[in-house]
Amino acid sequence: MVSLSDLEEFRHEVRRWLGANCPESMRTPVLSDADYYLGGSNPEFSHPDQKRWADLMAEKGWTTPTWPSEYGGGGLTREEAAILRDEMSAIGARSPLNSFGISMLGPALLEYGNEDQKSEHLPKIVRGEITWCQGYSEPGAGSDLASLQTRAEDTGDHYLVNGQKVWTSFADKADWIFCLVRTDNSGTKHEGISFLLVEMASEGVSVRPIKLISGKSSFCETFFDNVRVPKENLVGEEGKGWEIAKYLLTHERETISGFGQDSSGRTLAEVATEEIGLGADGRLEDGVLRRDVAQLEVDLLAFAATMDRVRDEAKAGQGLGAASSIVKYCGTELNKRRFELMMSLHGERALAWEGEHCDDGEMPRAWLRTKANSIEGGTSEIQLNIVAKRVLGLPS
């Protein structure tokens, strides 16, 4: 247990360090996907300070504050990590590094990986040297992930993988993919599934981007054609991958639910004031719009408080469990409502797709992208079924 005086001293140290090291350019709102630094062997930057900011934070282990220090993490307690979040928020500091390695694979490796796998992959994730994508969804399987058909045949010293994944986010930029594969067909569909780590540069792996209605997309199709995967890339026991898959899904749902939290640095009320102005009484003249903005602001605050509670419970060893379905459902629905209102506040300008004053259609593209939030990572209907059965105890 860390004493209050130690925590206060830690807060002063964090405040001092952030003040001295966080570039001014990284204290500005995130305006587009390009403002998120993903790392990887072929990184892309919207600003040169992105790399410097990520490197400085990685040296402290603060790209993954609560991961063990022996794997490059910060080794912080949950109270210290909360202080770091508070102080970063206070100066508007962006998250230095965003990756599926941090949000999904890392927690799974810490729980199920062997020592060699942890030592090999976790420090590279912390430093942003490699980036990962997720090989779960398959054509024809939809949200029923256990119906996967990608096969991994044991040939002695390696697996031979054949099959296809779909909706693989950032597969065209990733260095590695974590995959669910079928190694045995003799049991139920949830048995005989294994969890494999595959290098994207392996012979036989190919990727085809999927273009969406927004005109842009991070989604891809990923194909495996006689891909040789070393046996040491199996995480956990062969045929027991469904347990790892479920554990990782709770972290994925929490990550997607975070889309419901504003990252622009401005409240909707501030956007409304800037875009349409205030009436003589100092309020938005449109009563319906004023009500909708106020209601969403209240709901976002309530959601943020719930997220803090869920994270605290998880850090206390209670795990996310079915709570991940609650926050995933609420977070993605809030994000859709937020962008609907943003489109209303910007009026006809929000519909501009091309031109020098529309930022390459960033607003309508982002609005359209939110439609996928309640589908990816398990649809809203799937999440509500989980909540009904596992939280409320309702019959099937």
Side-chain angles (χ1 to χ4, degrees):
M1 178 69 72
V2 181
S3 70
L4 289 177
S5 61
D6 287 342
L7 289 177
E8 196 56 29
E9 183 178 339
F10 178 74
R11 182 181 295 279
H12 286 305
E13 171 58 24
V14 168
R15 190 174 297 165
R16 185 202 64 76
W17 189 89
L18 290 175
N21 291 282
C22 183
E24 288 296 330
S25 58
M26 295 294 103
R27 306 184 193 192
T28 56
V30 171
L31 299 178
S32 70
D33 288 347
D35 288 336
Y36 292 108
Y37 176 54
L38 303 177
S41 58
N42 295 294
E44 296 176 355
F45 310 103
S46 63
H47 193 286
D49 283 344
Q50 282 180 310
K51 179 70 164 57
R52 183 162 70 94
W53 174 225
D55 287 346
L56 287 168
M57 287 288 277
E59 287 177 13
K60 301 281 287 184
W62 288 354
T63 51
T64 55
T66 59
W67 287 14
S69 55
E70 60 262 41
Y71 305 123
L76 302 185
T77 65
R78 63 189 180 93
E79 293 91 350
E80 291 169 334
I83 287 173
L84 176 59
R85 285 199 304 271
D86 288 347
E87 293 301 320
M88 288 180 64
S89 177
I91 62 170
R94 297 180 185 177
S95 175
L97 180 62
N98 300 273
S99 76
F100 294 146
I102 291 176
S103 60
M104 289 190 265
L105 179 65
L109 282 183
L110 285 168
E111 185 72 18
Y112 294 97
N114 59 39
E115 192 54 41
D116 287 343
Q117 291 165 344
K118 294 176 185 176
S119 300
E120 170 64 23
H121 297 297
L122 294 179
K124 294 177 181 176
I125 293 172
V126 172
R127 297 191 295 266
E129 294 173 353
I130 55 174
T131 186
W132 291 78
C133 59
Q134 180 193 44
Y136 271 26
S137 297
E138 293 192 4
S143 293
D144 185 11
L145 293 176
S147 296
L148 63 92
Q149 298 297 316
T150 297
R151 305 182 314 280
E153 179 187 359
D154 186 348
T155 62
D157 63 342
H158 66 272
Y159 291 104
L160 197 64
V161 179
N162 283 281
Q164 179 190 351
K165 300 293 179 179
V166 71
W167 309 120
T168 326
S169 300
F170 301 110
D172 53 343
K173 304 180 189 304
D175 301 298
W176 285 74
I177 183 171
F178 49 92
C179 274
L180 294 181
V181 296
R182 186 161 293 287
T183 48
D184 187 355
N185 278 312
S186 61
T188 68
K189 66 179 182 180
H190 293 95
E191 298 171 333
I193 294 174
S194 298
F195 192 99
L196 274 187
L197 309 179
V198 183
E199 191 165 10
M200 294 297 283
S202 303
E203 185 176 352
V205 177
S206 58
V207 173
R208 186 165 62 197
I210 301 171
K211 193 173 182 178
L212 298 185
I213 188 174
S214 66
K216 294 182 178 179
S217 172
S218 59
F219 296 126
C220 300
E221 294 175 288
T222 305
F223 302 89
F224 302 89
D225 183 12
N226 289 324
V227 179
R228 293 165 60 99
V229 180
K231 296 287 285 289
E232 58 263 31
N233 288 6
L234 172 72
V235 178
E237 296 181 48
E238 183 177 295
K240 303 293 185 183
W242 187 245
E243 181 182 348
I244 304 173
K246 289 192 298 180
Y247 180 82
L248 189 145
L249 279 173
T250 64
H251 290 273
E252 180 187 25
R253 288 165 186 160
E254 185 199 9
T255 300
I256 295 174
S257 72
F259 297 161
Q261 295 177 304
D262 184 33
S263 59
S264 69
R266 294 187 302 169
T267 66
L268 273 174
E270 290 171 334
V271 174
T273 301
E274 182 178 312
E275 293 295 327
I276 61 180
L278 302 177
D281 61 355
R283 303 191 302 172
L284 294 175
E285 290 185 341
D286 186 325
V288 174
L289 193 57
R290 186 171 68 240
R291 178 203 61 194
D292 290 345
V293 169
Q295 184 62 60
L296 185 59
E297 292 282 17
V298 170
D299 291 346
L300 286 170
L301 288 172
F303 179 69
T306 301
M307 287 291 288
D308 284 344
R309 177 176 58 80
V310 169
R311 289 192 183 107
D312 284 346
E313 291 173 352
K315 299 278 173 51
Q318 298 179 27
L320 286 172
S324 65
S325 293
I326 298 174
V327 297
K328 198 274 182 181
Y329 173 79
C330 294
T332 54
E333 294 299 325
L334 280 172
N335 199 36
K336 289 197 294 187
R337 282 174 54 196
R338 182 159 65 89
F339 271 86
E340 292 286 348
L341 270 174
M342 291 284 281
M343 293 291 285
S344 297
L345 294 173
H346 284 80
E348 63 182 16
R349 288 195 299 110
L351 299 175
W353 199 257
E354 295 177 338
E356 60 179 314
H357 299 301
C358 69
D359 197 20
D360 194 30
E362 189 62 39
M363 176 61 71
R365 292 183 200 279
W367 167 64
L368 288 168
R369 178 63 180 81
T370 64
K371 308 302 181 186
N373 291 163
S374 52
I375 300 173
E376 59 195 342
T379 65
S380 286
E381 288 76 14
I382 291 288
Q383 308 311 320
L384 290 174
N385 277 337
I386 293 173
V387 172
K389 293 178 182 177
R390 296 178 56 191
V391 177
L392 301 177
L394 299 177
S396 300

